[in-house]
Amino acid sequence: MSILIKPIITEKATAASELRNCFSFVVNKKANKVEIKKAVEAAYGVSVDKVRTINVRPDRNTRYTKTGIVTGKTNAYKKAIVQVAEGDTIDLYSNL
């Protein structure tokens, strides 16, 4: 079971990483905070101070078209915001 799925790279996440040393990841839905902390420390070689998790709900939308009503939704996922120790940093762009 892979704990870390992918990092979240948005304007808000980038600002948090620069100002508060917090990095965001999409994680497995069944992972807990202790498992996430161990996975980040093992993958990036940093010491983690705090882990906050959020279950992101799916967004639902409805379109009215010529052929009728079309409904859809995005996938639900779990997001982890990891605060690393002062002086440590994670380079998310090294794999690109």
Side-chain angles (χ1 to χ4, degrees):
M1 174 173 95
S2 177
I3 304 291
L4 299 176
I5 297 173
K6 65 180 180 179
I8 298 173
I9 301 173
T10 59
E11 284 187 45
K12 190 173 183 179
T14 305
S17 68
E18 292 171 356
L19 298 176
R20 295 187 301 275
N21 236 11
C22 294
F23 298 90
S24 301
F25 296 94
V26 176
V27 296
N28 191 323
K29 287 184 184 179
K30 295 184 179 182
N32 60 28
K33 292 182 180 185
V34 176
E35 293 172 341
I36 295 168
K37 178 179 178 178
K38 289 179 183 176
V40 170
E41 288 177 344
Y44 296 103
V46 295
S47 59
V48 175
D49 286 344
K50 186 191 295 188
V51 177
R52 292 173 291 172
T53 59
I54 305 160
N55 285 314
V56 180
R57 63 176 171 75
D59 289 331
R60 299 178 188 277
N61 58 7
T62 305
R63 290 189 307 265
Y64 299 95
T65 63
K66 287 182 183 178
T67 57
I69 299 173
V70 177
T71 59
K73 72 176 187 70
T74 60
N75 291 329
Y77 61 94
K78 188 171 192 175
K79 177 165 64 170
I81 301 171
V82 177
Q83 185 171 2
V84 298
E86 195 69 34
D88 287 344
T89 186
I90 297 174
D91 186 16
L92 299 176
Y93 300 104
S94 63
N95 294 338
L96 295 177

